[in-house]
Each structure stands twice: as structure tokens, then as C-alpha cells.
């Protein structure tokens, strides 16, 4: 009974949201999402939820294979429901395999199932059809998941101690290498390219951090002769760019990245007032006295 009362209360809270706030207010959308997740928990069966976790690795697996077959792009670009047979002809994949993959993905809204063997695009389909997210799923499955799937065995062998050696952790164990994470990525050009593509799109698609963080408090009281902000591992400096755009006279900004990342940037990719500095965050921070 308690769960029913909780669910009813959460429904009332969601119902109080206005269409305008959910359309224009980032924090209001975040709050509504949080309430919606709690509502699903209140209405769900805990044993069913726990069982779903056991099967959840099958979902990114299906997405990863669908990306190899270019299924998301084929469905998104079709402009109308497309049949399994047509997808098989265009992708070169087996029709039965494709249907099983898409039924799995339809269960979580990654594609729409119009009828038996007919598929249509959803907002998630359109997102997955972008190269940035395709690259992200390739990187996550081929590198990250391949590492963490061996975490239980790794931790049993190490007595369940927290990994502290960046040269002897899950990535090295999972991929049978003694290279650091970034050096290993760089040793496989396609994987490193996917990583950079994903990071750049993910950073670029996020809500501008200066819209929700009180940046003026960061600037107030800062000294002009010291560094205001260091973005460690900041990609191509997107976050520093938006801060400079909002506060043109905010002070010294520093982008710290690996040499390979900085060397891959063009001269015009970053405001010249932002300093580029090679740095490995596993080593001591060379800039002292920065405000943040």
C-alpha cells in the first residue's frame, strides 16, 4: 500500500509541471526526470527490476551490432516504415538476426515497431544514427565494457583492493596490455578516433555549463595575475570557450591535454587567449595557485 501512495504522490508532482517549464527550463526537466524514475521504481516489482539488471548487457550488445550493420541510419533515413527484408538487403545482414536485434532495441525505444517486420525511427533512432553516438557505442563496447566485464575476476585475484596503479588496472587486465589507457587507445587508430569523436560530440551536445553553474562566484575575488581555471583533460577546450564567451574578461584560462590531442587541433579551434598546455593528469600539476 505504501508504494501505491508513493506512486500517486509522484504522479501529482509530475502533473503539476507546466508544458512551458518542461520545454524551456533545464532544471525543471531534470527534476521531472528524477520524479519519473522514482515513479517507475514505485510501480515496479523489485524482483523483476533485479532480473532486468542481469539481462541488461544484452541491450548495448544489440546496439553495438546494429551500428555495425548501420541499421539506425537506414531506419532514420527511410522516411517511412521499413521492412526487415529491405534492411537485410541494404546492410548485408541476415534478416532473422536483424529482426531479433531490432525487437530487443524496440523494447527500450531505440527503434519503433510498426508491425511484424516493420520498423520506424524514434527520437532515439535519430540520435543513434549520428556518427558521434555511433562512435561512442563502438568505443564503450570495444574498450570500456571489454574491460569492466572482467572486473569481478580481476578483483578476486587482487583481494578486492581498489586499483591504484594506472599501469595495472582493469583496462590493462581486460585488454592484456601494459600500456596506459590513453596509450592503448592511441595504438588502435580506429578506437582512438571513435573516442575523440564521441568526446567532442558529447561535450558539444551537453547543456552549456555556464547556464547552471554560478560562474560569477568563480570570477569574483580572483586575481588577474593568477590562473582562473584549468580544464584538465578538457578535449578541445569547449568548456573554456563558453566561459570566455560569457565572461570575456574573466582572466587566464588554461587547457591541459595530452600532446596528441593538442597537436590534432588547428590554430583556429581555440580562442588564442586560452593557453594550451601539454599535461598528463597522472603527474604533478605544474600550474600552482589556480582558483579552480
Amino acid at each position: 500500500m505504501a508504494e501505491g501512495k508513493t506512486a500517486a504522490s509522484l504522479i501529482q508532482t509530475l502533473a503539476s509541471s507546466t508544458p512551458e517549464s518542461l520545454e524551456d527550463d533545464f532544471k525543471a526537466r531534470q527534476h521531472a526526470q528524477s520524479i519519473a524514475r522514482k515513479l517507475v521504481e514505485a510501480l515496479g516489482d523489485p524482483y523483476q527490476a533485479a532480473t532486468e539488471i542481469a539481462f541488461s548487457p544484452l541491450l548495448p550488445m544489440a546496439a553495438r551490432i546494429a551500428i555495425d550493420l548501420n541499421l539506425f541510419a537506414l531506419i532514420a533515413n527511410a522516411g517511412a516504415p521499413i521492412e526487415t527484408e529491405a534492411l537485410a538487403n541494404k546492410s548485408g545482414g541476415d534478416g532473422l538476426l536483424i529482426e531479433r536485434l531490432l525487437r530487443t532495441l524496440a523494447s527500450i525505444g531505440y527503434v519503433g515497431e510498426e508491425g511484424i517486420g516493420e520498423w520506424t525511427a524514434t527520437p532515439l533512432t535519430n540520435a543513434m544514427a549520428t556518427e558521434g553516438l555511433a562512435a561512442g557505442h563502438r568505443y564503450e563496447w570495444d574498450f570500456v565494457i571489454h574491460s569492466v566485464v572482467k572486473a569481478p575476476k580481476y578483483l578476486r585475484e587482487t583481494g578486492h583492493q581498489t586499483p591504484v596503479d594506472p599501469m595495472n588496472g582493469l583496462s590493462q587486465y581486460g585488454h592484456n596490455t601494459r600500456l596506459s589507457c590513453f596509450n592503448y587507445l592511441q595504438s588502435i587508430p580506429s578506437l582512438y578516433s571513435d573516442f575523440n569523436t564521441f568526446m567532442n560530440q558529447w561535450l558539444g551536445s551537453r547543456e552549456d555549463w555556464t547556464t547552471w553553474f554560478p560562474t560569477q562566484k568563480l570570477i569574483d575575488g580572483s586575481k588577474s595575475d593568477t590562473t582562473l581555471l584549468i580544464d584538465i583533460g578538457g578535449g578541445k577546450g569547449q568548456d573554456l570557450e563558453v566561459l570566455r564567451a560569457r565572461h570575456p574578461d574573466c582572466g587566464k584560462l588554461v587547457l591541459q591535454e595530452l600532446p596528441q590531442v593538442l597537436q590534432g587541433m588547428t590554430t583556429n579551434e581555440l580562442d588564442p587567449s586560452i593557453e594550451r598546455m601539454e599535461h598528463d593528469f597522472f603527474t604533478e600539476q605544474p600550474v600552482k595557485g589556480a582558483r579552480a
Side-chain angles (χ1 to χ4, degrees):
M1 294 297 293
E3 290 83 359
K5 291 181 179 179
T6 299
S9 175
L10 292 170
I11 290 171
Q12 289 179 342
T13 301
L14 277 176
S16 67
S17 301
T18 65
E20 292 76 17
S21 67
L22 295 179
E23 181 70 27
D24 302 325
D25 191 327
F26 175 69
K27 290 185 177 179
R29 292 198 305 275
Q30 280 193 319
H31 179 66
Q33 289 174 348
S34 176
I35 297 298
R37 283 191 290 268
K38 292 178 181 178
L39 177 59
V40 170
E41 293 173 5
L43 292 174
D45 176 85
Y47 292 95
Q48 180 64 28
T51 302
E52 288 175 359
I53 289 178
F55 288 100
S56 61
L58 299 176
L59 301 175
M61 178 205 70
R64 177 68 182 85
I65 298 169
I67 288 168
D68 275 347
L69 291 170
N70 202 32
L71 297 181
F72 294 113
L74 290 172
I75 295 171
N77 296 331
I82 184 170
E83 295 183 349
T84 301
E85 183 178 355
L87 290 171
N89 291 334
K90 291 176 180 293
S91 68
D94 176 69
L96 180 58
L97 173 65
I98 289 172
E99 192 144 315
R100 289 176 173 176
L101 291 171
L102 293 181
R103 283 178 176 173
T104 299
L105 294 167
S107 71
I108 53 173
Y110 273 56
V111 295
E113 189 172 8
E114 286 289 297
I116 298 176
E118 285 191 338
W119 313 98
T120 189
T122 68
L124 279 171
T125 310
N126 295 327
M128 291 293 290
T130 65
E131 179 53 28
L133 282 179
H137 276 259
R138 288 192 296 265
Y139 158 73
E140 287 290 336
W141 184 270
D142 296 358
F143 179 69
V144 179
I145 294 178
H146 193 83
S147 300
V148 300
V149 75
K150 297 184 179 180
K153 186 172 185 291
Y154 168 81
L155 291 171
R156 285 195 298 269
E157 293 180 3
T158 60
H160 290 93
Q161 300 300 303
T162 301
V164 294
D165 184 354
M167 301 299 291
N168 186 27
L170 287 178
S171 298
Q172 288 73 29
Y173 186 85
H175 293 275
N176 192 29
T177 180
R178 297 298 296 173
L179 296 173
S180 69
C181 291
F182 288 108
N183 284 341
Y184 179 78
L185 286 175
Q186 291 159 7
S187 74
I188 306 175
S190 61
L191 187 60
Y192 187 53
S193 175
D194 280 341
F195 169 75
N196 284 324
T197 299
F198 179 45
M199 289 295 105
N200 288 332
Q201 172 158 325
W202 177 68
L203 289 169
S205 64
R206 290 182 308 166
E207 189 81 13
D208 178 353
W209 71 281
T210 64
T211 63
W212 51 265
F213 185 84
T215 52
Q216 192 60 50
K217 290 185 178 181
L218 176 66
I219 295 169
D220 290 344
S222 62
K223 299 179 181 179
S224 58
D225 59 344
T226 59
T227 300
L228 175 71
L229 178 65
I230 306 171
D231 193 354
I232 305 171
K236 295 186 176 182
Q238 297 94 326
D239 285 337
L240 295 177
E241 288 275 22
V242 296
L243 178 63
R244 175 69 78 203
R246 185 171 288 267
H247 304 284
D249 301 318
C250 64
K252 186 177 180 180
L253 304 175
V254 178
L255 169 66
Q256 290 184 340
E257 257 295 357
L258 293 173
Q260 298 88 336
V261 177
L262 296 180
Q263 291 165 10
M265 295 172 59
T266 65
T267 304
N268 298 326
E269 275 191 283
L270 190 65
D271 189 299
S273 67
I274 299 174
E275 181 180 352
R276 308 182 193 198
M277 181 181 296
E278 295 182 2
H279 178 59
D280 179 348
F281 56 51
F282 289 117
T283 63
E284 183 179 352
Q285 174 57 245
V287 180
K288 310 298 182 183
R291 189 170 178 86

